[in-house]
Short mmCIF file of all heavy atoms in Angstrom, two decimals:
data_model
loop_
_atom_site.label_atom_id
_atom_site.label_comp_id
_atom_site.label_asym_id
_atom_site.label_seq_id
_atom_site.Cartn_x
_atom_site.Cartn_y
_atom_site.Cartn_z
N TRP H 1 0.77 -1.22 -0.03
CA TRP H 1 -0.05 0.08 -0.04
C TRP H 1 0.87 1.22 0.00
O TRP H 1 0.65 2.19 -0.73
CB TRP H 1 -0.95 0.02 1.22
CG TRP H 1 -2.04 -0.93 1.26
CD1 TRP H 1 -2.42 -1.79 2.29
CD2 TRP H 1 -2.91 -1.32 0.18
NE1 TRP H 1 -3.48 -2.61 2.01
CE2 TRP H 1 -3.83 -2.36 0.65
CE3 TRP H 1 -3.08 -0.95 -1.06
CZ2 TRP H 1 -4.83 -2.92 -0.10
CZ3 TRP H 1 -4.10 -1.46 -1.89
CH2 TRP H 1 -4.94 -2.53 -1.34
N ASP H 2 1.98 1.23 0.77
CA ASP H 2 2.78 2.43 0.86
C ASP H 2 3.42 2.72 -0.51
O ASP H 2 3.54 3.82 -0.92
CB ASP H 2 3.94 2.18 1.87
CG ASP H 2 3.39 2.28 3.25
OD1 ASP H 2 2.48 3.01 3.46
OD2 ASP H 2 4.08 1.61 4.19
N GLY H 3 3.82 1.63 -1.24
CA GLY H 3 4.33 1.77 -2.62
C GLY H 3 3.39 2.39 -3.53
O GLY H 3 3.75 3.21 -4.32
N LEU H 4 2.16 1.94 -3.54
CA LEU H 4 1.10 2.47 -4.32
C LEU H 4 0.80 3.91 -4.08
O LEU H 4 0.47 4.77 -4.91
CB LEU H 4 -0.13 1.59 -4.23
CG LEU H 4 0.01 0.21 -4.80
CD1 LEU H 4 -1.25 -0.58 -4.48
CD2 LEU H 4 0.16 0.21 -6.31
N VAL H 5 0.89 4.30 -2.69
CA VAL H 5 0.71 5.66 -2.34
C VAL H 5 1.80 6.51 -2.83
O VAL H 5 1.62 7.60 -3.45
CB VAL H 5 0.56 5.79 -0.84
CG1 VAL H 5 0.62 7.26 -0.39
CG2 VAL H 5 -0.67 5.18 -0.35
N ARG H 6 3.04 6.08 -2.79
CA ARG H 6 4.22 6.90 -3.18
C ARG H 6 4.21 7.02 -4.60
O ARG H 6 4.63 8.00 -5.19
CB ARG H 6 5.47 6.16 -2.77
CG ARG H 6 5.81 6.39 -1.29
CD ARG H 6 7.21 5.96 -0.92
NE ARG H 6 7.58 4.55 -1.31
CZ ARG H 6 7.36 3.52 -0.51
NH1 ARG H 6 6.90 3.69 0.67
NH2 ARG H 6 7.73 2.36 -0.94
N ALA H 7 3.67 5.98 -5.42
CA ALA H 7 3.62 6.05 -6.88
C ALA H 7 2.40 6.86 -7.37
O ALA H 7 2.31 7.10 -8.53
CB ALA H 7 3.53 4.65 -7.46
N GLY H 8 1.62 7.39 -6.43
CA GLY H 8 0.58 8.26 -6.81
C GLY H 8 -0.75 7.57 -7.22
O GLY H 8 -1.69 8.20 -7.72
N TYR H 9 -0.83 6.20 -7.05
CA TYR H 9 -2.01 5.49 -7.39
C TYR H 9 -3.18 5.59 -6.32
O TYR H 9 -4.35 5.59 -6.61
CB TYR H 9 -1.71 4.09 -7.52
CG TYR H 9 -1.00 3.62 -8.76
CD1 TYR H 9 0.43 3.48 -8.74
CD2 TYR H 9 -1.51 3.53 -10.00
CE1 TYR H 9 1.14 3.23 -9.81
CE2 TYR H 9 -0.88 3.19 -11.13
CZ TYR H 9 0.50 3.04 -11.09
OH TYR H 9 1.22 2.72 -12.22
N LEU H 10 -2.76 5.93 -5.09
CA LEU H 10 -3.62 6.02 -4.02
C LEU H 10 -3.32 7.25 -3.20
O LEU H 10 -2.17 7.65 -3.14
CB LEU H 10 -3.58 4.76 -3.10
CG LEU H 10 -3.95 3.41 -3.66
CD1 LEU H 10 -3.70 2.31 -2.70
CD2 LEU H 10 -5.48 3.47 -4.18
N ARG H 11 -4.34 7.87 -2.54
CA ARG H 11 -4.06 8.95 -1.75
C ARG H 11 -3.65 8.60 -0.22
O ARG H 11 -3.19 9.35 0.46
CB ARG H 11 -5.35 9.83 -1.61
CG ARG H 11 -5.70 10.49 -2.95
CD ARG H 11 -6.97 11.38 -2.89
NE ARG H 11 -7.24 11.97 -4.02
CZ ARG H 11 -8.35 12.82 -4.16
NH1 ARG H 11 -9.14 13.14 -3.14
NH2 ARG H 11 -8.60 13.37 -5.39
N GLY H 12 -4.01 7.39 0.15
CA GLY H 12 -3.72 6.87 1.48
C GLY H 12 -3.95 5.49 1.57
O GLY H 12 -4.43 4.79 0.67
N ILE H 13 -3.70 4.88 2.72
CA ILE H 13 -3.87 3.45 3.03
C ILE H 13 -5.40 3.10 3.03
O ILE H 13 -6.08 3.66 3.82
CB ILE H 13 -3.25 3.01 4.36
CG1 ILE H 13 -1.79 3.40 4.34
CG2 ILE H 13 -3.41 1.52 4.47
CD1 ILE H 13 -0.92 2.87 3.28
N PRO H 14 -5.77 2.28 2.12
CA PRO H 14 -7.30 1.96 2.01
C PRO H 14 -7.85 1.16 3.08
O PRO H 14 -7.21 0.21 3.49
CB PRO H 14 -7.40 1.35 0.58
CG PRO H 14 -6.09 0.64 0.43
CD PRO H 14 -5.03 1.48 1.15
N ALA H 15 -8.96 1.53 3.61
CA ALA H 15 -9.78 0.83 4.60
C ALA H 15 -11.17 0.49 4.23
O ALA H 15 -11.66 1.26 3.31
CB ALA H 15 -9.63 1.48 5.90
N ASP H 16 -11.80 -0.49 4.70
CA ASP H 16 -13.22 -0.74 4.47
C ASP H 16 -14.04 0.28 5.14
O ASP H 16 -13.57 1.11 5.93
CB ASP H 16 -13.60 -2.15 4.88
CG ASP H 16 -13.58 -2.50 6.34
OD1 ASP H 16 -13.88 -1.50 7.12
OD2 ASP H 16 -13.30 -3.63 6.81
N PRO H 17 -15.44 0.33 4.88
CA PRO H 17 -16.29 1.38 5.46
C PRO H 17 -16.35 1.30 6.92
O PRO H 17 -16.73 2.32 7.50
CB PRO H 17 -17.63 0.99 4.78
CG PRO H 17 -17.29 0.44 3.48
CD PRO H 17 -16.09 -0.48 3.78
N ASP H 18 -15.97 0.26 7.64
CA ASP H 18 -15.97 0.27 9.05
C ASP H 18 -14.54 0.50 9.69
O ASP H 18 -14.36 0.48 10.81
CB ASP H 18 -16.39 -1.14 9.57
CG ASP H 18 -17.87 -1.24 9.62
OD1 ASP H 18 -18.59 -0.32 9.01
OD2 ASP H 18 -18.43 -2.23 10.15
N GLY H 19 -13.60 0.93 8.78
CA GLY H 19 -12.35 1.36 9.15
C GLY H 19 -11.18 0.36 9.28
O GLY H 19 -10.09 0.74 9.76
N PHE H 20 -11.39 -0.87 8.82
CA PHE H 20 -10.34 -1.97 8.90
C PHE H 20 -9.56 -1.85 7.57
O PHE H 20 -10.18 -1.96 6.51
CB PHE H 20 -11.01 -3.31 9.03
CG PHE H 20 -11.68 -3.34 10.51
CD1 PHE H 20 -12.91 -2.89 10.65
CD2 PHE H 20 -10.99 -4.02 11.51
CE1 PHE H 20 -13.56 -3.01 11.85
CE2 PHE H 20 -11.59 -4.00 12.78
CZ PHE H 20 -12.94 -3.63 12.90
N VAL H 21 -8.25 -1.82 7.76
CA VAL H 21 -7.38 -1.71 6.51
C VAL H 21 -7.43 -3.02 5.67
O VAL H 21 -7.39 -4.11 6.26
CB VAL H 21 -5.88 -1.49 6.96
CG1 VAL H 21 -4.99 -1.55 5.76
CG2 VAL H 21 -5.81 -0.17 7.70
N PHE H 22 -7.68 -2.82 4.35
CA PHE H 22 -7.67 -3.97 3.58
C PHE H 22 -6.23 -4.62 3.42
O PHE H 22 -5.24 -4.02 3.61
CB PHE H 22 -8.00 -3.52 2.04
CG PHE H 22 -9.50 -3.11 1.83
CD1 PHE H 22 -9.77 -1.80 1.50
CD2 PHE H 22 -10.47 -3.98 1.98
CE1 PHE H 22 -11.03 -1.38 1.31
CE2 PHE H 22 -11.77 -3.66 1.81
CZ PHE H 22 -12.02 -2.33 1.46
N VAL H 23 -6.35 -6.03 3.22
CA VAL H 23 -5.01 -6.71 3.11
C VAL H 23 -4.68 -6.92 1.63
O VAL H 23 -5.52 -7.36 0.83
CB VAL H 23 -5.26 -8.14 3.77
CG1 VAL H 23 -4.00 -8.90 3.66
CG2 VAL H 23 -5.63 -7.98 5.30
N LEU H 24 -3.46 -6.64 1.25
CA LEU H 24 -2.97 -6.69 -0.04
C LEU H 24 -1.98 -7.80 -0.16
O LEU H 24 -0.95 -7.83 0.57
CB LEU H 24 -2.33 -5.31 -0.53
CG LEU H 24 -1.67 -5.37 -1.85
CD1 LEU H 24 -2.55 -5.61 -3.00
CD2 LEU H 24 -0.83 -4.03 -2.04
N ASP H 25 -2.14 -8.72 -1.06
CA ASP H 25 -1.19 -9.80 -1.27
C ASP H 25 -0.09 -9.21 -2.10
O ASP H 25 -0.21 -8.71 -3.26
CB ASP H 25 -1.82 -10.96 -2.11
CG ASP H 25 -0.86 -12.09 -2.21
OD1 ASP H 25 0.24 -12.00 -2.76
OD2 ASP H 25 -1.22 -13.23 -1.82
N PRO H 26 1.19 -9.14 -1.59
CA PRO H 26 2.32 -8.37 -2.29
C PRO H 26 2.67 -9.06 -3.58
O PRO H 26 3.32 -8.33 -4.40
CB PRO H 26 3.41 -8.34 -1.26
CG PRO H 26 3.07 -9.60 -0.35
CD PRO H 26 1.64 -9.71 -0.34
N TRP H 27 2.38 -10.25 -3.80
CA TRP H 27 2.92 -10.94 -4.99
C TRP H 27 1.83 -11.11 -6.03
O TRP H 27 2.04 -11.06 -7.27
CB TRP H 27 3.51 -12.34 -4.61
CG TRP H 27 4.58 -12.23 -3.69
CD1 TRP H 27 4.56 -12.44 -2.29
CD2 TRP H 27 5.93 -11.64 -3.88
NE1 TRP H 27 5.72 -12.20 -1.72
CE2 TRP H 27 6.58 -11.60 -2.60
CE3 TRP H 27 6.54 -11.13 -5.03
CZ2 TRP H 27 7.89 -11.07 -2.42
CZ3 TRP H 27 7.85 -10.66 -4.86
CH2 TRP H 27 8.51 -10.69 -3.65
N THR H 28 0.53 -11.29 -5.72
CA THR H 28 -0.55 -11.52 -6.59
C THR H 28 -1.31 -10.24 -6.91
O THR H 28 -1.98 -10.07 -7.91
CB THR H 28 -1.49 -12.61 -6.21
OG1 THR H 28 -2.15 -12.19 -5.02
CG2 THR H 28 -0.68 -13.88 -5.91
N GLY H 29 -1.20 -9.29 -5.98
CA GLY H 29 -2.05 -8.10 -6.12
C GLY H 29 -3.54 -8.22 -5.67
O GLY H 29 -4.34 -7.38 -5.80
N ASP H 30 -3.87 -9.52 -5.11
CA ASP H 30 -5.20 -9.67 -4.69
C ASP H 30 -5.48 -8.87 -3.39
O ASP H 30 -4.55 -8.56 -2.64
CB ASP H 30 -5.51 -11.15 -4.34
CG ASP H 30 -6.91 -11.43 -4.14
OD1 ASP H 30 -7.77 -10.70 -4.73
OD2 ASP H 30 -7.26 -12.43 -3.38
N VAL H 31 -6.76 -8.47 -3.18
CA VAL H 31 -7.16 -7.72 -2.04
C VAL H 31 -8.28 -8.42 -1.28
O VAL H 31 -9.15 -9.05 -1.89
CB VAL H 31 -7.70 -6.30 -2.49
CG1 VAL H 31 -8.07 -5.44 -1.26
CG2 VAL H 31 -6.54 -5.60 -3.27
N ARG H 32 -8.14 -8.42 0.07
CA ARG H 32 -9.14 -9.07 0.80
C ARG H 32 -9.39 -8.26 2.14
O ARG H 32 -8.67 -7.29 2.41
CB ARG H 32 -8.75 -10.52 1.23
CG ARG H 32 -7.53 -10.66 2.10
CD ARG H 32 -7.20 -12.07 2.30
NE ARG H 32 -6.00 -12.28 3.28
CZ ARG H 32 -4.78 -12.24 2.93
NH1 ARG H 32 -4.49 -12.08 1.62
NH2 ARG H 32 -3.84 -12.39 3.90
N MET H 33 -10.52 -8.74 2.79
CA MET H 33 -10.80 -7.98 3.97
C MET H 33 -9.86 -8.29 5.12
O MET H 33 -9.37 -9.42 5.19
CB MET H 33 -12.26 -8.36 4.43
CG MET H 33 -13.39 -8.07 3.41
SD MET H 33 -13.80 -6.29 3.24
CE MET H 33 -14.62 -6.01 4.77
N ALA H 34 -9.72 -7.46 6.11
CA ALA H 34 -9.03 -7.81 7.28
C ALA H 34 -9.75 -8.91 8.11
O ALA H 34 -10.99 -8.79 8.02
CB ALA H 34 -8.82 -6.51 8.17
N ALA H 35 -9.01 -9.75 8.60
CA ALA H 35 -9.64 -10.90 9.29
C ALA H 35 -10.52 -10.57 10.44
O ALA H 35 -11.51 -11.29 10.87
CB ALA H 35 -8.52 -11.81 9.89
N ASP H 36 -10.28 -9.36 11.11
CA ASP H 36 -11.10 -8.92 12.27
C ASP H 36 -12.22 -7.86 11.85
O ASP H 36 -12.78 -7.28 12.63
CB ASP H 36 -10.18 -8.36 13.34
CG ASP H 36 -9.32 -7.20 12.91
OD1 ASP H 36 -9.10 -7.12 11.64
OD2 ASP H 36 -8.82 -6.55 13.78
N SER H 37 -12.32 -7.69 10.48
CA SER H 37 -13.35 -6.73 10.06
C SER H 37 -14.63 -6.99 10.50
O SER H 37 -15.15 -8.23 10.50
CB SER H 37 -13.35 -6.56 8.57
OG SER H 37 -14.38 -5.69 8.04
N THR H 38 -15.46 -6.07 10.96
CA THR H 38 -16.84 -6.25 11.48
C THR H 38 -17.82 -6.42 10.35
O THR H 38 -18.94 -6.74 10.60
CB THR H 38 -17.25 -4.98 12.30
OG1 THR H 38 -16.98 -3.75 11.44
CG2 THR H 38 -16.53 -4.85 13.57
N LEU H 39 -17.28 -6.35 9.06
CA LEU H 39 -18.09 -6.61 7.97
C LEU H 39 -18.09 -8.04 7.38
O LEU H 39 -18.85 -8.38 6.49
CB LEU H 39 -17.86 -5.67 6.82
CG LEU H 39 -18.10 -4.13 7.06
CD1 LEU H 39 -17.68 -3.32 5.83
CD2 LEU H 39 -19.55 -3.84 7.31
#
């Protein structure tokens, strides 16, 4: 996420609507919910 922010793709670390940061697979680029997300 930090790399994508520095490269200008994102404005900040992305989180779900309840405030839990999304999990990014660094090798495949897949995105999933945080394991403790209330959603």
